[in-house]
Amino acid sequence: MWRVRRAAVACEVCQSLVKHSPGTKGSLPLQKLHLVSRSIYHTHHPTLKLQRPQIRTSLQQFSSLTSFPLRKLKLSPVKYGYQPHRNFWPARLAARLLKLRYLILGSAVGGGYTAKKTFDQWKDMIPDLSDYKWIVPDIVWEIDEYIDLEKIRKALPNSEDLAKLAPDFDKIAESLSLLKDFFTTGSPGETAFRATDPGSESDKRYRKGLLGELILLQQQIQEHEEEARRAAGQYSTSYAQQKRKVSDKEKIDQLQEELLHTQLKYQRILERLEKENKELRKLVLQKDDKGIHHRKLKKSLIDMYSEVLDVLSDYDASYNTQDHLPRVVVVGDQSAGKTSVLEMIAQARIFPRGSGEMMTRSPVKVTLSEGPHHVALFKDSSREFDLTKEEDLAALRHEIELRMRKNVKEGCTVSPETISLNVKGPGLQRMVLVDLPGVINTVTSGMAPDTKETIFSISKAYMQNPNAIILCIQDGSVDAERSIVTDLVSQMDPHGRRTIFVLTKVDLAEKNVTSPSRIQQIIEGKLFPMKALGYFAVVTGKGNSSESIEAIRDYEEEFFQNSKLLKTSMLKAHQVTTRNLSLAVSDCFWKMVRESVEQQADSFKATRFNLETEWKNNYPRLRELDRNELFEKAKNEILDEVISLSQVTPKHWEEILQQSLWERVSTHVIENIYLPAAQTMNSGTFNTTVDIKLKQWTDKQLPNKAVEVAWETLQEEFSRFMTEPKGKEHDDIFDKLKEAVKEESIKRHKWNDFAEDSLRVIQHNALEDRSISDKQQWDAAIYFMEEALQARLKDTENAIENMVGPDWKKRWLYWKNRTQEQCVHNETKNELEKMLKCNEEHPAYLASDEITTVRKNLESRGVEVDPSLIKDTWHQVYRRHFLKTALNHCNLCRRGFYYYQRHFVDSELECNDVVLFWRIQRMLAITANTLRQQLTNTEVRRLEKNVKEVLEDFAEDSEKKVKLLTGKRVQLAEDLKKVREIQEKLDAFIEALHQEK
């Protein structure tokens, strides 16, 4: 029974070997198993027969963790049937292999743990490169958008193809032959593996040598410790002896000297590190500028914040309580060194200078930020000034001075308008500073009377912002009692929670002040009623305006290094130099920004909500167009209306021109040409008089009158199109703008000077033509003459009625009465009419005896008249008589075309006046046609060009747009746009600020 169990165990071992051995090539057939195993457990196999088993097996077994193949074992002949004595060598071999497997598995687990621990240590040693993630191009992070990884995965070979590429395990087994030192060979037929083998003799010798070195090293460490103890004892003994010898006063001086040297030493180390950091940052920024990383550079925090302040400056120039965003406000007495301190912080001489006179005439907002190059540029300009070149510095100072003088209005000395300047450079502290005009005590000659009050109001407007940092500049070379700005600062910030006090010109103060303790009292704020967050002392040069920033900084460091103020501990090392000042101001500025910017963003959100609600309630169907957008819309409408001038028909142009020209010249034609010629006795004299007067009129007046009429006609048509209502689409908000554009365009437009010369020739030729070709033209001339005479007769009747008053019908119907003067005119008129009835062919002028007769006749009826009144009345009476006679003659000439063709031969009828009006009518038609061609071909285009120029000029003039586009709707849209822009920029700034944290 025990034999059967033993055989079963052997069979299981065989199966496990065949199934789990990694070195087995192929599957082991059942026939290759031991005979006993087959006979006991595999009796069901169809190929099982009682036959002599194979003496040798062709299967060579090996392990991937061993370096040698297993020895081939010979099996003793097995007889058929029951075998009482069997050598189960596979069981022993499997036991040893299993023991080897457990040992290898434990070694693998221990080695894996050690490798993981070493990897973690290395990982902790590697610096965090997340801050330098921006160095990697964006294309790496977006590679999945450009490369189809799924397609690549499908293109890779499958597991079967990869299995073909597996290494040759035979060669791997041979390479593991080094492990054979850990195995020992036992008795024949069995192998043993000693897991607790202490190692070879070489390992023992190595360990002994290593232990000896450790012992020797420990002895050396103990010897060094003994030497250190002895040196410390000697040093303490000598120090105690020296301490007993040195007096207390010398000890204090020595300690102070050592402290000062230590501070200066670390200061120099800090400056060296800052300089190296500055150079490295400059190189990095230059690489980014060249686009090496091929990515867009984000705006810096300070640039984003400066844009918010610029928008606020445009939105609310007075900086009222709505604007509580932090700024560094630089205030001080005139010539106290404000500008010099700001230049030291900006590291460039950027401001204009003057000896004792006021140079800062308006606030200058300076935004400092880091950049690869030291440059400056204005907010509204793209020109960059290289601050490393003296010519660019001079140009920048000149530009700032010009802008200041431009901002100052006539009759003023200073202006509240802000000049925005950006300064970039490596190593600059990021902040926004506002340089204000210096506070003065007395208004000198050449200044406006309200200069002092204006400077105070500007300074207060900036300092009353509860989040503004006040940089109070005090001149150390003058008496502290003469300072004005300290009282002003103490009023704005009585607790000193946002004030930084700076004492300038400390080198002069140390020379001039007898007691150094007074400088200490000034710096500590004991001589002033004001309080401050910090007190600083700086030196901004030797008084020479040509000094460079580097020279001033070296002089400042050298002065404080040798100054008694530091040696006597009146000042601390962090309270001196403009470098420390700029660091402190920048830290204070950003602290204030982080504390207040979110609150300000919330206030602008509330303002935006209120404005949007007001717009929805008042203008629900209108888009929110600001002033610039409204101007663009009006501009398009005006240009469309100008283009519509070219769509006016030629017939309409000629009718308007002909009618307007006749209205302009009709009085001259009738009064100065027709009436004098009609007084002649025969046709020859009539024609001669007409020709002479027409020639004179054409040479002197007619062309000019025609051009004036054409220009006025163009203006009227242009005005009609501009002011014509467009129905529901008409927006009266553009009326003032359109009127201004119309007036300015007309003012600029000038008619072509050569037009008069060509027009004179055309008019002269037209007036010389007397030929009437057909009856239709003859009738047209008569109709034109009748219209002209009837219109003139109507005007004369109205003049006589105004002269003599209402007639008896109007007096009875409308209850009107004549005045005394009208009664006199009426009596005179009646007397003159009697004279005309007696002599209907009376000449146009009264003789003196006739005037006397009329006057005496009136006096006989009790009416006193003046001879001039008689002449005036006669002019209107005769004029009416003449016009009626001419109209009667015109009716007679309707049938006179036949006689005209025969030149009035054998006829008493003479119609020379009809020919005159024909010549006038023809001249008007030809002139109107010529002017129409000039209008449509030349003048309309020139007018359109002038309109475009006017609109472009208005677009660049903000004040003009504010003046012409007004109203609650415009202002509400403007406020809404500005508040939205401010809020968006503030939100972007806050997000960037959180990301930087």
Side-chain angles (χ1 to χ4, degrees):
M1 188 67 184
W2 63 271
R3 291 175 181 173
V4 174
R5 293 174 180 169
R6 190 171 182 181
V9 171
C11 185
E12 292 179 358
V13 171
C14 292
Q15 290 177 358
S16 64
L17 280 173
V18 173
K19 185 181 298 183
H20 299 290
S21 177
T24 305
K25 298 182 179 179
S27 62
L28 189 63
L30 186 62
Q31 292 82 352
K32 298 291 181 76
L33 293 178
H34 197 269
L35 179 61
V36 177
S37 301
R38 288 189 296 167
S39 64
I40 295 175
Y41 289 92
H42 307 291
T43 57
H44 62 279
H45 197 277
T47 61
L48 181 62
K49 293 181 180 180
L50 292 175
Q51 58 183 3
R52 186 178 183 87
Q54 297 289 338
I55 301 301
R56 297 179 181 272
T57 178
S58 61
L59 177 66
Q60 186 176 1
Q61 304 196 5
F62 63 93
S63 172
S64 62
L65 297 177
T66 58
S67 60
F68 59 92
L70 297 177
R71 291 180 296 178
K72 300 179 181 178
L73 300 178
K74 293 183 179 181
L75 298 177
S76 59
V78 180
K79 297 181 180 181
Y80 301 115
Y82 175 75
Q83 298 294 334
H85 300 286
R86 294 178 184 278
N87 187 11
F88 291 96
W89 59 267
R92 292 193 298 273
L93 178 61
R96 284 166 176 77
L97 289 175
L98 289 173
K99 187 182 297 184
L100 176 62
R101 182 180 64 184
Y102 294 146
L103 184 60
I104 292 174
L105 180 62
S107 301
V109 173
Y113 175 78
T114 305
K116 182 178 183 304
K117 188 173 181 181
T118 305
F119 174 76
D120 293 339
Q121 292 177 357
W122 288 356
K123 185 178 179 182
D124 295 337
M125 294 171 61
I126 296 174
D128 187 11
L129 300 177
S130 61
D131 295 335
Y132 302 94
K133 185 178 178 181
W134 57 271
I135 297 178
V136 181
D138 291 341
I139 188 64
V140 176
W141 311 116
E142 301 172 358
I143 193 171
D144 56 341
E145 297 180 6
Y146 304 97
I147 301 176
D148 191 355
L149 299 180
E150 185 66 19
K151 186 176 181 181
I152 295 177
R153 186 184 66 80
K154 293 180 180 179
L156 292 175
N158 53 21
S159 59
E160 295 179 358
D161 296 335
L162 291 175
K164 296 179 182 179
L165 301 176
D168 190 357
F169 291 104
D170 293 333
K171 295 183 180 180
I172 294 176
E174 293 176 2
S175 65
L176 296 176
S177 62
L178 295 176
L179 294 176
K180 66 184 178 180
D181 293 337
F182 294 97
F183 296 92
T184 58
T185 307
S187 61
E190 62 178 293
T191 57
F193 178 76
R194 291 178 286 182
T196 58
D197 187 10
S200 62
E201 291 297 328
S202 60
D203 294 337
K204 294 180 180 179
R205 288 195 300 270
Y206 174 75
R207 293 176 182 176
K208 289 181 181 180
L210 183 61
L211 182 62
E213 290 178 359
L214 291 174
I215 295 172
L216 182 61
L217 181 61
Q218 185 176 4
Q219 291 177 356
Q220 292 178 357
I221 291 173
Q222 291 177 355
E223 291 176 0
H224 285 299
E225 288 178 351
E226 290 295 333
E227 292 178 0
R229 292 193 191 97
R230 290 195 297 270
Q234 294 176 0
Y235 178 80
S236 61
T237 303
S238 62
Y239 180 74
Q241 294 175 356
Q242 185 179 5
K243 183 177 181 182
R244 288 191 296 269
K245 293 179 182 179
V246 178
S247 62
D248 294 340
K249 183 177 179 180
E250 293 177 352
K251 180 174 65 175
I252 293 173
D253 294 340
Q254 185 177 2
L255 290 175
Q256 290 179 349
E257 189 72 23
E258 291 178 356
L259 179 62
L260 179 61
H261 283 297
T262 303
Q263 290 177 344
L264 294 177
K265 176 183 176 182
Y266 284 111
Q267 184 71 22
R268 285 193 294 271
I269 293 174
L270 180 62
E271 291 175 359
R272 179 175 57 82
L273 293 175
E274 287 180 352
K275 185 176 181 180
E276 293 176 357
N277 185 30
K278 177 179 176 181
E279 295 296 329
L280 291 175
R281 291 182 68 86
K282 182 176 180 180
L283 291 175
V284 172
L285 292 172
Q286 284 177 345
K287 289 181 179 180
D288 285 339
D289 257 8
K290 294 177 181 178
I292 293 178
H293 304 305
H294 303 285
R295 64 194 302 268
K296 293 182 179 180
L297 291 176
K298 295 182 178 179
K299 290 183 180 179
S300 64
L301 279 176
I302 192 63
D303 291 335
M304 297 171 68
Y305 187 76
S306 179
E307 288 181 359
V308 174
L309 296 183
D310 289 336
V311 176
L312 277 171
S313 177
D314 297 336
Y315 172 63
D316 186 8
S318 61
Y319 290 102
N320 62 10
T321 54
Q322 292 181 351
D323 176 21
H324 290 166
L325 292 175
R327 302 169 182 79
V328 180
V329 181
V330 185
V331 296
D333 298 327
Q334 184 179 351
S335 302
K338 299 187 293 46
T339 302
S340 300
V341 171
L342 210 159
E343 287 180 338
M344 291 294 292
I345 295 175
Q347 301 180 13
R349 309 299 290 269
I350 58 178
F351 291 102
R353 296 184 167 274
S355 56
E357 61 177 325
M358 179 182 292
M359 298 304 298
T360 306
R361 297 180 178 271
S362 64
V364 182
K365 180 176 75 67
V366 182
T367 302
L368 301 180
S369 59
E370 281 193 302
H373 307 289
H374 203 185
V375 295
L377 66 158
F378 292 97
K379 179 189 72 173
D380 55 352
S381 175
S382 60
R383 178 187 177 184
E384 286 190 351
F385 297 89
D386 190 350
L387 302 183
T388 60
K389 298 179 180 179
E390 186 57 38
E391 56 270 17
D392 279 19
L393 280 171
L396 176 61
R397 291 192 290 266
H398 180 65
E399 181 67 20
I400 292 176
E401 185 175 2
L402 289 179
R403 288 173 179 259
M404 286 183 179
R405 296 187 181 277
K406 182 180 179 181
N407 289 343
V408 176
K409 297 180 180 179
E410 187 176 356
C412 300
T413 306
V414 293
S415 170
E417 297 183 16
T418 306
I419 299 173
S420 183
L421 180 68
N422 293 338
V423 178
K424 298 181 180 181
L428 293 182
Q429 298 298 320
R430 303 177 302 166
M431 57 183 138
V432 178
L433 303 100
V434 182
D435 186 20
L436 300 180
V439 179
I440 60 174
N441 190 19
T442 306
V443 177
T444 59
S445 60
M447 293 184 180
D450 61 343
T451 301
K452 180 179 177 181
E453 289 76 12
T454 304
I455 294 175
F456 267 85
S457 63
I458 294 173
S459 301
K460 288 181 179 180
Y462 278 90
M463 288 191 293
Q464 71 183 2
N465 180 358
N467 295 321
I469 301 169
I470 303 173
L471 195 62
C472 181
I473 309 298
Q474 172 63 37
D475 189 352
S477 63
V478 299
D479 295 335
E481 291 78 9
R482 295 168 55 186
S483 176
I484 308 171
V485 72
T486 51
D487 294 335
L488 181 61
V489 172
S490 61
Q491 293 176 10
M492 296 292 104
D493 185 24
H495 302 290
R497 295 174 181 171
R498 51 188 181 91
T499 301
I500 297 176
F501 181 81
V502 182
L503 185 67
T504 60
K505 306 177 185 179
V506 183
D507 52 343
L508 300 178
E510 189 176 19
K511 293 179 182 179
N512 300 334
V513 178
T514 306
S515 176
S517 61
R518 182 173 175 83
I519 300 178
Q520 184 180 9
Q521 291 178 352
I522 295 175
I523 295 177
E524 293 178 354
K526 296 179 180 180
L527 291 181
F528 302 107
M530 60 171 287
K531 300 178 181 179
L533 282 173
Y535 300 88
F536 290 86
V538 297
V539 175
T540 56
K542 301 178 182 179
N544 185 6
S545 60
S546 61
E547 289 180 291
S548 64
I549 296 296
E550 291 76 11
I552 296 174
R553 185 177 299 163
D554 295 340
Y555 171 71
E556 183 184 39
E557 294 177 356
E558 181 182 358
F559 168 76
F560 283 115
Q561 185 175 359
N562 301 323
S563 175
K564 296 178 182 179
L565 298 174
L566 280 180
K567 291 182 178 180
T568 57
S569 298
M570 293 183 182
L571 292 177
K572 298 178 182 179
H574 69 272
Q575 289 183 299
V576 298
T577 71
T578 51
R579 184 190 302 274
N580 292 333
L581 171 64
S582 61
L583 290 172
V585 174
S586 179
D587 292 341
C588 186
F589 169 77
W590 283 108
K591 180 182 178 183
M592 191 75 74
V593 167
R594 292 186 176 92
E595 291 176 354
S596 61
V597 68
E598 292 188 1
Q599 181 181 359
Q600 296 302 309
D602 293 338
S603 67
F604 278 106
K605 287 181 182 178
T607 305
R608 173 179 176 177
F609 176 78
N610 296 336
L611 293 174
E612 288 178 345
T613 304
E614 184 178 359
W615 182 274
K616 290 177 182 178
N617 294 331
N618 293 325
Y619 312 102
R621 298 183 179 180
L622 295 177
R623 287 193 300 134
E624 300 166 2
L625 300 178
D626 61 2
R627 186 170 280 110
N628 291 331
E629 293 171 338
L630 286 173
F631 182 83
E632 290 298 323
K633 183 179 179 181
K635 177 181 177 181
N636 295 330
E637 288 187 7
I638 293 171
L639 292 177
D640 291 341
E641 290 165 357
V642 174
I643 293 176
S644 62
L645 282 174
S646 60
Q647 299 176 359
V648 178
T649 60
K651 181 180 179 181
H652 180 72
W653 276 119
E654 293 183 8
E655 288 178 355
I656 296 175
L657 289 170
Q658 189 169 349
Q659 182 179 357
S660 301
L661 183 59
W662 172 243
E663 290 176 356
R664 181 68 60 88
V665 302
S666 59
T667 302
H668 180 82
V669 170
I670 294 175
E671 300 293 336
N672 298 332
I673 298 177
Y674 176 57
L675 286 178
Q679 302 301 318
T680 60
M681 302 303 296
N682 51 51
S683 61
T685 308
F686 178 87
N687 293 330
T688 303
T689 305
V690 166
D691 291 342
I692 293 174
K693 290 186 177 294
L694 287 177
K695 181 68 169 60
Q696 294 175 351
W697 183 45
T698 305
D699 292 340
K700 297 180 179 179
Q701 299 180 9
L702 182 57
N704 187 21
K705 293 287 183 181
V707 170
E708 289 180 0
V709 168
W711 177 218
E712 291 175 1
T713 304
L714 180 61
Q715 294 180 30
E716 291 174 0
E717 289 296 304
F718 179 52
S719 302
R720 181 173 66 85
F721 281 106
M722 292 283 286
T723 58
E724 187 177 11
K726 305 298 185 298
K728 295 183 179 180
E729 298 179 358
H730 178 69
D731 196 346
D732 56 358
I733 202 170
F734 300 143
D735 291 346
K736 292 175 65 176
L737 176 61
K738 290 182 178 180
E739 185 66 23
V741 171
K742 182 193 73 174
E743 293 177 357
E744 185 65 24
S745 302
I746 291 173
K747 186 186 299 183
R748 295 186 183 184
H749 186 80
K750 293 183 179 179
W751 201 274
N752 193 354
D753 296 335
F754 299 102
E756 292 187 11
D757 297 334
S758 59
L759 192 60
R760 181 178 291 108
V761 176
I762 294 172
Q763 290 173 340
H764 183 73
N765 294 334
L767 290 173
E768 285 186 349
D769 186 10
R770 302 180 185 181
S771 61
I772 302 176
S773 58
D774 53 16
K775 182 69 166 58
Q776 185 178 359
Q777 293 180 355
W778 180 268
D779 293 340
I782 291 177
Y783 178 76
F784 175 66
M785 179 179 175
E786 283 183 344
E787 279 191 341
L789 296 178
Q790 287 176 357
R792 191 62 53 180
L793 179 60
K794 185 177 180 180
D795 294 339
T796 305
E797 293 285 356
N798 292 332
I800 293 174
E801 183 177 357
N802 293 331
M803 183 183 296
V804 301
D807 55 4
W808 63 271
K809 186 184 296 185
K810 291 183 179 179
R811 289 200 302 270
W812 281 97
L813 293 176
Y814 301 108
W815 294 81
K816 293 182 179 180
N817 295 321
R818 290 173 176 171
T819 62
Q820 183 65 31
E821 184 179 1
Q822 288 177 343
C823 292
V824 173
H825 278 289
N826 185 52
E827 293 294 335
T828 307
K829 177 184 75 79
N830 294 332
E831 188 67 26
L832 292 174
E833 286 178 348
K834 293 177 182 179
M835 183 184 300
L836 277 177
K837 287 181 180 180
C838 297
N839 183 13
E840 293 183 356
E841 295 181 358
H842 195 284
Y845 302 100
L846 285 174
S848 57
D849 56 343
E850 292 175 335
I851 295 175
T852 303
T853 303
V854 172
R855 183 170 59 84
K856 288 181 178 181
N857 292 337
L858 292 174
E859 287 178 355
S860 64
R861 295 199 299 267
V863 179
E864 295 290 336
V865 293
D866 189 78
S868 59
L869 187 143
I870 297 174
K871 290 181 180 180
D872 294 339
T873 308
W874 168 256
H875 177 72
Q876 299 297 334
V877 172
Y878 181 81
R879 184 185 183 86
R880 182 176 62 178
H881 171 72
F882 173 78
L883 292 175
K884 288 180 177 181
T885 304
L887 283 172
N888 293 330
H889 180 71
C890 184
N891 289 328
L892 294 176
C893 290
R894 288 182 181 276
R895 298 185 297 269
F897 180 69
Y898 171 75
Y899 299 104
Y900 165 76
Q901 288 180 330
R902 298 181 61 185
H903 304 289
F904 301 105
V905 177
D906 300 332
S907 174
E908 296 181 357
L909 183 64
E910 293 183 357
C911 298
N912 295 310
D913 47 358
V914 177
V915 177
L916 170 63
F917 278 93
W918 158 251
R919 296 165 67 183
I920 298 295
Q921 186 183 28
R922 180 174 172 77
M923 181 273 299
L924 292 175
I926 293 175
T927 303
N929 180 269
T930 304
L931 293 175
R932 189 266 306 169
Q933 294 180 17
Q934 190 172 358
L935 279 172
T936 55
N937 296 336
T938 306
E939 301 303 328
V940 172
R941 296 179 182 178
R942 293 179 62 231
L943 179 62
E944 182 181 355
K945 182 180 178 182
N946 290 336
V947 171
K948 290 181 179 179
E949 292 177 355
V950 171
L951 288 172
E952 290 176 359
D953 294 342
F954 283 7
E956 296 176 358
D957 193 347
S958 300
E959 295 181 358
K960 183 75 73 175
K961 287 191 286 187
V962 171
K963 182 179 178 182
L964 297 176
L965 294 173
T966 58
K968 180 181 178 181
R969 169 183 156 196
V970 180
Q971 191 60 43
L972 185 59
E974 282 285 309
D975 294 344
L976 192 54
K977 177 189 175 184
K978 290 294 183 182
V979 170
R980 281 176 178 168
E981 186 177 1
I982 293 168
Q983 184 196 344
E984 291 173 359
K985 290 185 179 295
L986 274 177
D987 291 342
F989 172 73
I990 292 172
E991 183 180 355
L993 192 63
H994 290 324
Q995 290 177 359
E996 187 180 71
K997 286 183 180 180

